[in-house]
Amino acid sequence: MSVQSVDRALDVLEALAAHGGEAGLSEIAARTGLPYGTIHRLLQTLLVRGYVRQESDRRYALGGALVRLGGVAERMVGVWAQPYLAKMVELSGETANLAVLEGDFIVYVAQVPSPRRLRMFAEVGRRVLPHSTAVGKVLLADRPDGEAMAVFERTGMPRRTANTITDAGAMRAELATVRDRGYAMDLGEEELGVHCLAVPVNDGARVVAAMSVSGPAERIEALDRDELAEGMRKIALDFGRELGSSNGW
Protein backbone atom coordinates (compact mmCIF):
# COMPACT_ATOMS: atom_id res chain seq x y z
CA MET A 1 0.00 0.00 0.00
CA SER A 2 1.41 3.39 -0.97
CA VAL A 3 1.34 6.48 1.25
CA GLN A 4 -0.12 9.38 -0.73
CA SER A 5 2.09 12.09 0.74
CA VAL A 6 5.24 10.08 0.01
CA ASP A 7 4.07 9.35 -3.52
CA ARG A 8 3.43 13.02 -4.12
CA ALA A 9 6.79 14.11 -2.68
CA LEU A 10 8.52 11.66 -5.00
CA ASP A 11 6.46 12.97 -7.92
CA VAL A 12 7.76 16.46 -7.16
CA LEU A 13 11.39 15.28 -7.02
CA GLU A 14 10.97 13.36 -10.27
CA ALA A 15 9.41 16.42 -11.91
CA LEU A 16 12.46 18.48 -10.93
CA ALA A 17 14.75 15.78 -12.31
CA ALA A 18 12.77 15.64 -15.56
CA HIS A 19 13.35 19.40 -16.01
CA GLY A 20 17.09 19.01 -15.66
CA GLY A 21 17.11 19.45 -11.88
CA GLU A 22 15.39 22.85 -11.73
CA ALA A 23 11.82 24.02 -12.34
CA GLY A 24 9.22 26.59 -11.39
CA LEU A 25 6.02 25.87 -9.53
CA SER A 26 3.93 25.93 -12.72
CA GLU A 27 6.26 23.43 -14.43
CA ILE A 28 6.05 21.07 -11.46
CA ALA A 29 2.26 21.37 -11.46
CA ALA A 30 2.08 20.65 -15.19
CA ARG A 31 4.28 17.59 -14.78
CA THR A 32 2.60 16.13 -11.68
CA GLY A 33 -1.00 17.29 -12.01
CA LEU A 34 -0.95 18.29 -8.33
CA PRO A 35 -2.58 21.48 -6.98
CA TYR A 36 -0.27 24.43 -6.33
CA GLY A 37 -1.03 24.39 -2.61
CA THR A 38 -0.09 20.72 -2.29
CA ILE A 39 3.14 21.25 -4.21
CA HIS A 40 4.04 24.24 -2.06
CA ARG A 41 3.55 22.27 1.18
CA LEU A 42 5.62 19.36 -0.11
CA LEU A 43 8.39 21.69 -1.24
CA GLN A 44 8.56 23.32 2.19
CA THR A 45 9.24 19.93 3.81
CA LEU A 46 11.77 18.99 1.15
CA LEU A 47 13.49 22.36 1.58
CA VAL A 48 13.87 21.81 5.34
CA ARG A 49 15.36 18.34 4.77
CA GLY A 50 17.78 19.58 2.10
CA TYR A 51 16.32 17.53 -0.75
CA VAL A 52 15.28 20.72 -2.54
CA ARG A 53 16.70 24.24 -2.56
CA GLN A 54 15.16 27.50 -3.73
CA GLU A 55 17.08 29.68 -6.15
CA SER A 56 17.20 33.49 -6.10
CA ASP A 57 14.64 33.63 -8.94
CA ARG A 58 12.23 31.57 -6.76
CA ARG A 59 12.60 28.47 -8.92
CA TYR A 60 13.22 25.17 -7.16
CA ALA A 61 16.17 22.83 -7.69
CA LEU A 62 17.24 19.41 -6.45
CA GLY A 63 19.18 19.74 -3.20
CA GLY A 64 22.47 18.46 -1.90
CA ALA A 65 20.91 15.84 0.40
CA LEU A 66 20.13 13.78 -2.71
CA VAL A 67 23.82 13.47 -3.52
CA ARG A 68 24.42 11.29 -0.47
CA LEU A 69 21.49 9.01 -1.25
CA GLY A 70 22.25 8.94 -4.96
CA GLY A 71 25.87 7.98 -4.46
CA VAL A 72 24.97 5.05 -2.21
CA ALA A 73 22.18 3.92 -4.54
CA GLU A 74 24.46 4.02 -7.57
CA ARG A 75 27.11 1.93 -5.81
CA MET A 76 24.52 -0.66 -4.79
CA VAL A 77 22.98 -0.84 -8.26
CA GLY A 78 26.46 -1.18 -9.72
CA VAL A 79 27.06 -4.21 -7.49
CA TRP A 80 23.70 -5.78 -8.41
CA ALA A 81 24.44 -5.22 -12.11
CA GLN A 82 27.72 -7.15 -12.17
CA PRO A 83 26.34 -10.66 -12.95
CA TYR A 84 24.07 -9.24 -15.66
CA LEU A 85 26.91 -7.28 -17.24
CA ALA A 86 29.02 -10.45 -17.13
CA LYS A 87 26.31 -12.20 -19.15
CA MET A 88 26.48 -9.42 -21.73
CA VAL A 89 30.26 -9.85 -21.97
CA GLU A 90 29.74 -13.59 -22.50
CA LEU A 91 27.10 -12.85 -25.14
CA SER A 92 29.12 -10.30 -27.10
CA GLY A 93 32.76 -10.82 -26.18
CA GLU A 94 32.98 -7.08 -25.54
CA THR A 95 33.07 -4.74 -22.52
CA ALA A 96 29.65 -4.19 -20.89
CA ASN A 97 28.56 -1.01 -19.09
CA LEU A 98 25.71 0.28 -16.96
CA ALA A 99 24.87 3.98 -17.17
CA VAL A 100 22.24 6.36 -15.77
CA LEU A 101 21.03 9.86 -16.59
CA GLU A 102 21.87 12.50 -13.97
CA GLY A 103 20.47 15.87 -14.95
CA ASP A 104 21.75 16.47 -18.47
CA PHE A 105 24.69 14.06 -18.15
CA ILE A 106 25.25 10.33 -18.56
CA VAL A 107 27.16 8.70 -15.71
CA TYR A 108 28.75 5.25 -15.99
CA VAL A 109 28.08 3.37 -12.75
CA ALA A 110 29.34 -0.18 -13.43
CA GLN A 111 31.43 -2.11 -15.91
CA VAL A 112 32.63 -5.63 -16.67
CA PRO A 113 35.58 -5.62 -19.09
CA SER A 114 36.01 -7.83 -22.12
CA PRO A 115 38.49 -10.71 -21.69
CA ARG A 116 40.15 -9.72 -24.98
CA ARG A 117 43.53 -8.02 -25.03
CA LEU A 118 42.22 -5.09 -27.10
CA ARG A 119 39.16 -3.82 -25.25
CA MET A 120 37.27 -0.65 -24.44
CA PHE A 121 37.05 1.07 -21.04
CA ALA A 122 34.57 3.67 -19.80
CA GLU A 123 35.78 4.73 -16.37
CA VAL A 124 33.14 4.18 -13.68
CA GLY A 125 32.00 7.59 -12.50
CA ARG A 126 32.78 9.23 -15.85
CA ARG A 127 30.25 11.85 -16.96
CA VAL A 128 29.52 12.44 -20.65
CA LEU A 129 26.87 14.25 -22.66
CA PRO A 130 24.08 11.99 -23.97
CA HIS A 131 23.94 12.96 -27.64
CA SER A 132 27.12 11.11 -28.65
CA THR A 133 26.55 7.86 -26.73
CA ALA A 134 24.29 4.88 -27.28
CA VAL A 135 23.36 4.80 -23.59
CA GLY A 136 22.38 8.46 -23.73
CA LYS A 137 20.16 7.95 -26.74
CA VAL A 138 18.42 4.98 -25.13
CA LEU A 139 17.74 6.90 -21.93
CA LEU A 140 16.41 10.00 -23.68
CA ALA A 141 14.38 8.01 -26.20
CA ASP A 142 12.22 6.96 -23.23
CA ARG A 143 11.36 10.61 -22.53
CA PRO A 144 8.71 12.64 -24.39
CA ASP A 145 10.23 14.13 -27.52
CA GLY A 146 10.04 17.72 -26.27
CA GLU A 147 11.68 16.83 -22.98
CA ALA A 148 14.49 14.93 -24.68
CA MET A 149 15.15 17.73 -27.16
CA ALA A 150 15.21 20.27 -24.32
CA VAL A 151 18.18 18.37 -22.86
CA PHE A 152 20.02 18.57 -26.18
CA GLU A 153 19.19 22.25 -26.46
CA ARG A 154 20.74 22.89 -23.04
CA THR A 155 23.89 20.87 -23.77
CA GLY A 156 24.34 22.22 -27.28
CA MET A 157 25.32 18.80 -28.72
CA PRO A 158 29.03 19.63 -29.26
CA ARG A 159 30.89 17.68 -31.93
CA ARG A 160 33.05 14.91 -30.45
CA THR A 161 34.08 13.31 -33.76
CA ALA A 162 33.20 13.70 -37.43
CA ASN A 163 30.39 11.17 -36.81
CA THR A 164 28.70 13.00 -33.92
CA ILE A 165 25.08 14.01 -34.49
CA THR A 166 24.92 17.76 -33.85
CA ASP A 167 21.74 18.71 -35.72
CA ALA A 168 18.46 18.81 -33.75
CA GLY A 169 16.39 17.42 -36.63
CA ALA A 170 18.80 14.52 -37.16
CA MET A 171 18.76 13.76 -33.43
CA ARG A 172 14.97 13.81 -33.33
CA ALA A 173 14.96 11.25 -36.16
CA GLU A 174 17.62 9.20 -34.36
CA LEU A 175 15.51 9.00 -31.20
CA ALA A 176 12.50 7.92 -33.26
CA THR A 177 14.61 5.10 -34.71
CA VAL A 178 15.74 4.05 -31.23
CA ARG A 179 12.14 3.92 -30.02
CA ASP A 180 11.13 1.88 -33.05
CA ARG A 181 13.85 -0.77 -32.87
CA GLY A 182 14.39 -0.85 -29.10
CA TYR A 183 18.13 -0.23 -29.02
CA ALA A 184 20.62 2.53 -29.83
CA MET A 185 23.96 2.64 -31.60
CA ASP A 186 27.01 4.87 -31.21
CA LEU A 187 28.97 4.51 -34.43
CA GLY A 188 32.18 6.28 -33.53
CA GLU A 189 30.25 9.34 -32.35
CA GLU A 190 31.96 9.66 -28.96
CA GLU A 191 35.32 8.19 -29.95
CA LEU A 192 36.52 7.27 -33.44
CA GLY A 193 37.01 3.55 -33.98
CA VAL A 194 34.71 2.59 -31.08
CA HIS A 195 31.17 1.35 -31.63
CA CYS A 196 28.55 0.69 -28.96
CA LEU A 197 25.08 -0.87 -28.73
CA ALA A 198 22.78 -0.05 -25.79
CA VAL A 199 19.42 -1.26 -24.49
CA PRO A 200 17.14 0.19 -21.79
CA VAL A 201 16.67 -1.16 -18.26
CA ASN A 202 13.04 -0.86 -17.12
CA ASP A 203 12.18 -1.54 -13.47
CA GLY A 204 8.53 -2.14 -14.33
CA ALA A 205 7.57 1.51 -13.96
CA ARG A 206 10.09 3.39 -16.09
CA VAL A 207 13.47 3.20 -17.78
CA VAL A 208 16.01 3.78 -15.01
CA ALA A 209 19.29 2.88 -16.69
CA ALA A 210 20.93 1.65 -19.87
CA MET A 211 23.19 -1.33 -20.47
CA SER A 212 25.65 -1.42 -23.34
CA VAL A 213 28.47 -3.31 -24.97
CA SER A 214 31.32 -1.46 -26.65
CA GLY A 215 34.37 -2.47 -28.60
CA PRO A 216 36.48 -1.79 -31.68
CA ALA A 217 34.29 -0.82 -34.62
CA GLU A 218 35.24 -3.79 -36.78
CA ARG A 219 34.36 -6.32 -34.07
CA ILE A 220 31.00 -4.73 -33.26
CA GLU A 221 30.18 -4.47 -36.96
CA ALA A 222 30.91 -8.20 -37.38
CA LEU A 223 28.11 -9.05 -34.93
CA ASP A 224 24.45 -9.42 -35.88
CA ARG A 225 23.03 -6.23 -34.32
CA ASP A 226 19.43 -7.39 -34.04
CA GLU A 227 20.44 -10.75 -32.57
CA LEU A 228 22.83 -9.10 -30.11
CA ALA A 229 20.22 -6.51 -29.12
CA GLU A 230 17.61 -9.21 -28.53
CA GLY A 231 19.95 -11.12 -26.22
CA MET A 232 20.89 -7.93 -24.40
CA ARG A 233 17.24 -6.94 -23.95
CA LYS A 234 16.52 -10.26 -22.24
CA ILE A 235 19.40 -9.71 -19.81
CA ALA A 236 18.34 -6.10 -19.18
CA LEU A 237 14.76 -7.26 -18.60
CA ASP A 238 15.92 -9.69 -15.92
CA PHE A 239 17.99 -6.96 -14.27
CA GLY A 240 15.07 -4.55 -14.37
CA ARG A 241 12.85 -7.12 -12.69
CA GLU A 242 15.38 -7.46 -9.88
CA LEU A 243 15.47 -3.70 -9.41
CA GLY A 244 11.68 -3.50 -9.40
CA SER A 245 11.14 -6.40 -7.03
CA SER A 246 13.74 -5.15 -4.55
CA ASN A 247 12.57 -1.53 -4.77
CA GLY A 248 16.28 -0.88 -5.02
CA TRP A 249 16.19 2.13 -7.34
Side-chain angles (χ1 to χ4, degrees):
M1 179 185 299
S2 64
V3 178
Q4 187 182 62
S5 60
V6 176
D7 274 341
R8 288 177 168 181
L10 293 174
D11 286 341
V12 169
L13 291 175
E14 289 179 355
L16 287 169
H19 282 280
E22 180 181 317
L25 198 62
S26 61
E27 292 169 314
I28 298 171
R31 179 81 184 186
T32 63
L34 295 172
Y36 278 50
T38 299
I39 295 170
H40 183 73
R41 287 193 297 273
L42 292 168
L43 285 169
Q44 293 311 301
T45 299
L46 293 169
L47 281 165
V48 170
R49 297 294 297 271
Y51 292 105
V52 166
R53 69 175 189 271
Q54 190 167 26
E55 307 289 40
S56 57
D57 59 1
R58 301 189 64 79
R59 289 169 65 81
Y60 294 91
L62 294 175
L66 290 169
V67 175
R68 181 180 68 256
L69 297 183
V72 174
E74 281 184 3
R75 287 195 295 274
M76 291 306 301
V77 171
V79 171
W80 297 336
Q82 292 297 309
Y84 298 95
L85 293 175
K87 289 180 181 179
M88 287 195 177
V89 173
E90 184 178 351
L91 178 69
S92 65
E94 304 297 344
T95 296
N97 304 286
L98 177 73
V100 298
L101 184 65
E102 287 187 359
D104 291 344
F105 287 86
I106 295 298
V107 180
Y108 290 95
V109 295
Q111 181 181 92
V112 172
S114 166
R116 295 179 173 181
R117 182 171 299 177
L118 178 60
R119 56 194 178 186
M120 300 299 109
F121 286 98
E123 183 181 355
V124 172
R126 181 187 177 200
R127 293 162 59 87
V128 298
L129 292 175
H131 70 292
S132 56
T133 63
V135 287
K137 294 175 191 176
V138 157
L139 288 164
L140 285 176
D142 181 62
R143 304 290 180 91
D145 199 49
E147 190 177 304
M149 296 310 297
V151 172
F152 296 129
E153 184 177 344
R154 289 193 295 270
T155 63
M157 294 194 296
R159 185 175 297 282
R160 296 284 298 160
T161 74
N163 299 327
T164 307
I165 298 173
T166 59
D167 175 75
M171 180 56 72
R172 195 183 300 273
E174 177 78 354
L175 293 184
T177 298
V178 172
R179 294 182 187 113
D180 181 60
R181 69 188 179 192
Y183 66 88
M185 295 294 302
D186 158 16
L187 302 175
E189 296 159 51
E190 174 68 19
E191 184 176 346
L192 284 176
V194 178
H195 284 191
C196 180
L197 188 154
V199 297
V201 177
N202 193 310
D203 68 357
R206 60 193 175 97
V207 171
V208 295
M211 302 180 93
S212 69
V213 295
S214 59
E218 62 274 14
R219 293 208 309 244
I220 296 293
E221 287 302 302
L223 300 171
D224 184 311
R225 290 184 188 177
D226 291 333
E227 182 178 324
L228 174 60
E230 181 62 25
M232 290 174 63
R233 276 196 294 264
K234 290 178 181 177
I235 296 169
L237 179 63
D238 288 342
F239 180 48
R241 285 172 176 160
E242 179 180 342
L243 290 178
S245 64
S246 65
N247 295 314
W249 191 265

